[in-house]
Amino acid sequence: MNSRLLTRFKFAAAALLAVTLFLPQYTCARLRGPDGFVTDSIPAGADSSAYHVYNQPHYALENFGPTRIETWITVTAFSWPLLFLAIGYRRRLPRTSRVLWWLEPLLICVSGYLIILFSEVGDRAYGAYAALVALLALLGTWGFEVWVWIRKRRAPPAPVAP
């Protein structure tokens, strides 16, 4: 398979992962009252039929703060593949590329764990599922690259013409 095609596939998966940062990660069931306010429980003495279930979406960057470490961990968990692709595109250093390539599966697992952790607070939403699909696509692409690399190393040497 063409390496350009693999790079494009990786870029698409990395872009999907970055976009999911702005999608709902989980939802919480809350109650919307007749006055429009959202609450966790029906107040004492209130008519329970007037309150309706409302699924409130929650996002990964809900508590954004430039000085908060959690913000930067979250941003890194969703955007590191784009950074790796940019470094690989700009720098043609084989050693750097190889180190980053071997770090990919570790970072994919860490990002997946963090996304599952983020979305476990409530009912997992479509943003978390899309992020996990993007990470699986990145892991699958990395696995295919390993397979191609092993196959090239096992290939018999080309015959030498006399």
Side-chain angles (χ1 to χ4, degrees):
M1 185 177 254
N2 189 347
S3 67
R4 264 192 189 163
L5 186 61
L6 280 176
T7 303
R8 287 180 182 169
F9 188 74
K10 271 186 160 181
F11 178 75
L16 174 62
L17 181 63
V19 166
T20 61
L21 179 63
F22 304 103
L23 297 176
Q25 297 298 312
Y26 67 95
T27 61
C28 289
R30 310 241 359 238
L31 298 169
R32 186 181 301 271
D35 53 1
F37 288 108
V38 177
T39 182
D40 290 328
S41 61
I42 299 172
D47 180 21
S48 63
S49 64
Y51 287 84
H52 303 287
V53 176
Y54 165 69
N55 285 327
Q56 182 179 19
H58 293 276
Y59 299 85
L61 287 179
E62 248 177 26
N63 300 319
F64 179 82
T67 59
R68 296 175 57 140
I69 189 72
E70 302 89 22
T71 297
W72 298 110
I73 291 172
T74 303
V75 169
T76 303
F78 283 89
S79 63
W80 68 265
L82 287 176
L83 178 66
F84 274 31
L85 286 170
I87 290 170
Y89 181 74
R90 297 286 294 156
R91 303 242 184 238
R92 298 287 182 209
L93 302 173
R95 186 179 223 177
T96 304
S97 297
R98 186 64 54 198
V99 167
L100 294 179
W101 187 67
W102 282 109
L103 278 176
E104 279 183 35
L106 173 68
L107 291 174
I108 288 170
C109 292
V110 169
S111 290
Y113 175 74
L114 288 174
I115 290 167
I116 288 171
L117 205 63
F118 293 154
S119 63
E120 199 130 298
V121 176
D123 294 329
R124 198 164 283 125
Y126 60 90
Y129 288 119
L132 293 173
V133 165
L135 287 171
L136 284 174
L138 285 169
L139 188 61
T141 305
W142 185 85
F144 184 76
E145 288 174 337
V146 168
W147 181 70
V148 168
W149 179 65
I150 290 171
R151 216 174 74 191
K152 279 183 183 178
R153 292 189 64 154
R154 289 189 178 175
V160 179

